[in-house]
Amino acid sequence: MKVGFVGLGIMGRPMALHLADAGHQLFVYGKRTVPEDVKAKGATICGTLREIAEAAEIVILMVPDTPDVEDVLFSADGIASGLSPGKVVVDMSSISPIATKEFARRINEKGCDYLDAPVSGGEVGAKAASLTIMVGGPEKAFERVKPLFEKMGKNITLVGGNGDGQTTKVANQIIVALTIEAVAEAMLFARRAGADPAKVRQALMGGFASSRILEVHGERMLKRNFDPGFRIELHEKDLSLALSGARSLGLALPNTAATQQLFHAAKSLGGAKWDHSGLLRVLETLAGGEK
Amino acid sequence: MKVGFVGLGIMGRPMALHLADAGHQLFVYGKRTVPEDVKAKGATICGTLREIAEAAEIVILMVPDTPDVEDVLFSADGIASGLSPGKVVVDMSSISPIATKEFARRINEKGCDYLDAPVSGGEVGAKAASLTIMVGGPEKAFERVKPLFEKMGKNITLVGGNGDGQTTKVANQIIVALTIEAVAEAMLFARRAGADPAKVRQALMGGFASSRILEVHGERMLKRNFDPGFRIELHEKDLSLALSGARSLGLALPNTAATQQLFHAAKSLGGAKWDHSGLLRVLETLAGGEK
């Protein structure tokens, strides 16, 4: 298929390479910024985003945040300006579910389908083509794009209509952050009360406290391995999406808010690029340092 | 073995019955308050706690809170007054890890061993003899009492020295409460953002957000089944233990504190006896009610 790909960064680059390897024809943008290995796969370099939309059947976005998606889609000479009916825009960035519904509406007005398809699994998952992909949008468009998703990810779910993919990603990030924070509080309590946190974790693994987070991030805390993994600065952004969404919807998310504050504190402690399990260090700092 | 059992309530009664069924000789206290089925098993009813300690080799406590344990052990004519060297006191209540170390010290002065052995699994686990038992104390005493533990529970771990069993229980209760709260925030966000929370939960089950809580309590939230299970008023007590421990140890446990406040709110909303997954209702109330 003819696939436009906008956003060839840490995540986007390996994802685009998987599509090229599967024989899809890539259309990309930015003479100087396209990575050499993407050029080497024969990607067509377009002079404007508009040209990508004119040439490709399916346009994938993988950019940092909501304003970036808006800019790529709707600026002058942006993607929307080059669309014609029957094409599909697939936003794989992690952005606001509420803005997503508006973007989808405006793309639909061009006679095109929109899928929001954020991922989890990070750079490792992007490279291994093992991303989890949470999709919102029409089933027909989902089936059409699915062969591309299957080259980039493993656990691919159509959750519902437009916005629902982004909502699922936000829900995921809330649970992951708050569970890491919970494990950090418990591990800190155990150590300071004089117990061996490794034995405590072991005793908890079979019961109701058991989770992937206790398994993976609990072990990171024990080994004090805070190399990412998933960086605190990125998780902070995701909780910020949750909280601005909550504000629009009139919801109080007290522990999401508190945990975002701890992520802020981590950044002030030099931890923007720590793995998110480094939340433990913030709690330790509040308790007089590592002891 | 000759086993004293103090505290024949919702938990203690089925636990004591399992011991009697296994052929152990029970010594209990309180003419009017001993349940008929315990009497029917041939339990010896003692006139004072002191008499229990004089008659039994091993004395098990299963009472509500720290002051109750202190009272049973150290009041006039309490357990300690009847102990002679070589006996073992086993506190299966969920109480303060810090007070536990002091209680153990005072029991050791009598020439006796002390085990703290709190459980999780609730009334269902007590009846089914499938409790998780988290033990702190000397290994020799643990081995001696283990045959009794095995009649009451399944997942039995010696975590460390005295206090470490209670510390493990506190860590468990922190993680369970905060993970339930996390799932509740995510489910509420998903529903209010217009997604189907059942599909969102399903999409999250394979990834880093997966946990026993997302599985069991997430499903309770979807089905709005808030019959206990484990009651909010009991979990509130457990977080109170965590927070008073944290205070003594000089730790800040921000999300434990916030979650305890939500448990308080649940009680004010009539939810003292809801299952702890009823935290969702508190968040819904803050967001204008169930919608």
Side-chain angles (χ1 to χ4, degrees):
Chain A
M1 278 196 277
K2 293 179 176 178
V3 179
F5 208 111
V6 182
L8 297 165
I10 292 177
M11 297 292 294
R13 186 173 135 260
M15 291 162 69
L17 289 172
H18 290 306
L19 296 179
D21 287 338
H24 296 290
Q25 191 180 347
L26 293 184
F27 295 84
V28 299
Y29 165 70
K31 267 175 195 154
R32 291 181 197 160
T33 56
V34 174
E36 288 304 321
D37 49 6
V38 175
K39 285 183 194 165
K41 298 279 179 192
T44 302
I45 300 178
C46 302
T48 62
L49 293 166
R50 175 205 285 265
E51 287 173 35
I52 292 182
E54 287 167 351
E57 304 155 64
I58 293 172
V59 180
I60 296 176
L61 278 68
M62 191 63 180
V63 295
D65 210 342
T66 311
D68 306 297
V69 173
E70 182 163 24
D71 195 52
V72 166
L73 292 179
F74 302 113
S75 61
D77 287 324
I79 293 295
S81 69
L83 289 175
S84 50
K87 302 194 171 191
V88 186
V89 170
V90 185
D91 178 27
M92 302 189 75
S93 325
S94 289
I95 69 160
S96 159
I98 294 157
T100 289
K101 292 182 193 184
E102 175 63 12
F103 297 164
R105 194 188 56 73
R106 291 171 70 184
I107 294 298
N108 292 343
E109 283 175 356
K110 299 269 173 184
C112 297
D113 280 325
Y114 188 97
L115 295 174
D116 47 301
V119 305
S120 74
E123 190 182 350
V124 173
K127 285 183 172 163
S130 66
L131 294 167
T132 294
I133 308 178
M134 298 154 262
V135 189
E139 186 157 8
K140 228 173 73 181
F142 174 73
E143 291 302 334
R144 187 166 162 204
V145 180
K146 206 175 172 187
L148 304 183
F149 289 148
E150 286 168 347
K151 297 296 169 194
M152 300 183 279
K154 288 235 164 74
N155 190 0
I156 301 155
T157 313
L158 179 64
V159 180
N162 278 132
D164 292 354
Q166 297 293 354
T167 294
T168 304
K169 175 72 191 281
V170 169
N172 185 71
Q173 296 305 81
I174 289 173
I175 293 177
V176 169
L178 272 54
T179 309
I180 288 174
E181 208 281 338
V183 169
E185 290 197 13
M187 292 283 116
L188 179 67
F189 183 91
R191 185 185 295 274
R192 293 294 176 91
D196 176 348
K199 286 193 181 156
V200 170
R201 174 173 161 277
Q202 202 52 50
L204 300 186
M205 289 280 279
F208 270 117
S210 69
S211 65
R212 281 277 282 155
I213 298 295
L214 182 64
E215 208 180 309
V216 175
H217 299 78
E219 190 175 20
R220 276 177 166 276
M221 292 178 201
L222 291 173
K223 294 188 170 164
R224 307 194 71 75
N225 171 14
F226 300 125
D227 301 331
F230 190 72
R231 296 200 300 279
I232 277 175
E233 60 188 353
L234 294 175
H235 213 149
E236 192 279 328
K237 182 211 116 183
D238 291 341
L239 293 195
S240 161
L241 280 179
L243 293 172
S244 62
R247 188 161 184 255
S248 310
L249 297 164
L251 307 178
L253 301 179
N255 287 5
T256 299
T259 304
Q260 193 205 30
Q261 297 300 306
L262 295 173
F263 280 142
H264 293 176
K267 287 160 79 176
S268 290
L269 295 170
K273 297 188 193 312
W274 295 342
D275 183 72
H276 45 182
S277 56
L279 266 181
L280 175 65
R281 277 190 174 155
V282 180
L283 297 176
E284 286 175 345
T285 303
L286 290 171
E290 188 189 342
K291 283 179 190 172
Chain B
M1 278 195 277
K2 292 179 175 176
V3 180
F5 208 112
V6 182
L8 297 165
I10 291 176
M11 296 292 292
R13 186 175 134 260
M15 291 162 70
L17 289 173
H18 289 307
L19 297 178
D21 286 338
H24 297 289
Q25 192 179 344
L26 293 184
F27 295 84
V28 300
Y29 165 71
K31 267 178 194 151
R32 290 180 199 163
T33 57
V34 174
E36 288 304 320
D37 48 7
V38 175
K39 287 183 193 166
K41 298 280 178 190
T44 302
I45 301 177
C46 301
T48 63
L49 292 166
R50 175 205 285 265
E51 288 174 35
I52 291 182
E54 286 168 350
E57 306 155 62
I58 292 171
V59 180
I60 295 174
L61 280 68
M62 191 63 181
V63 296
D65 209 342
T66 310
D68 305 297
V69 173
E70 183 163 24
D71 194 54
V72 166
L73 292 179
F74 303 114
S75 61
D77 287 324
I79 293 294
S81 69
L83 289 175
S84 50
K87 302 194 172 189
V88 187
V89 171
V90 185
D91 178 28
M92 302 189 76
S93 324
S94 290
I95 70 161
S96 161
I98 295 157
T100 289
K101 292 181 193 185
E102 175 63 14
F103 297 163
R105 195 188 56 73
R106 292 170 71 182
I107 294 298
N108 292 343
E109 281 174 359
K110 299 269 173 185
C112 297
D113 281 325
Y114 189 97
L115 296 173
D116 47 300
V119 305
S120 74
E123 189 182 352
V124 172
K127 285 184 173 163
S130 67
L131 294 167
T132 293
I133 308 179
M134 299 154 261
V135 190
E139 185 157 7
K140 229 174 74 183
F142 174 72
E143 292 301 335
R144 186 165 161 205
V145 179
K146 206 174 172 187
L148 303 184
F149 289 148
E150 287 169 344
K151 297 295 171 197
M152 298 182 281
K154 287 236 163 75
N155 189 1
I156 302 155
T157 313
L158 179 64
V159 180
N162 278 131
D164 292 354
Q166 297 292 356
T167 293
T168 304
K169 175 73 192 278
V170 169
N172 185 72
Q173 297 304 81
I174 289 173
I175 293 177
V176 169
L178 273 54
T179 308
I180 289 174
E181 208 281 338
V183 170
E185 290 197 13
M187 291 285 114
L188 178 66
F189 182 90
R191 184 186 294 274
R192 292 295 175 92
D196 176 348
K199 286 194 181 158
V200 170
R201 172 173 162 278
Q202 201 53 48
L204 300 186
M205 288 280 279
F208 271 117
S210 69
S211 65
R212 281 279 282 156
I213 297 295
L214 181 64
E215 208 181 309
V216 175
H217 298 79
E219 191 175 19
R220 275 176 167 277
M221 292 177 202
L222 291 175
K223 294 189 170 162
R224 306 194 72 77
N225 171 14
F226 301 125
D227 302 332
F230 190 72
R231 295 200 300 278
I232 277 176
E233 61 188 355
L234 294 174
H235 213 150
E236 191 281 326
K237 181 209 116 185
D238 291 341
L239 292 195
S240 161
L241 282 177
L243 293 172
S244 62
R247 188 162 184 254
S248 310
L249 297 164
L251 307 179
L253 301 179
N255 287 5
T256 300
T259 304
Q260 193 205 29
Q261 297 301 307
L262 295 173
F263 280 142
H264 293 176
K267 287 160 77 175
S268 290
L269 295 170
K273 298 189 192 311
W274 294 343
D275 183 71
H276 45 181
S277 57
L279 266 180
L280 175 65
R281 276 189 175 158
V282 180
L283 297 176
E284 286 175 343
T285 302
L286 289 171
E290 186 188 343
K291 283 178 191 172

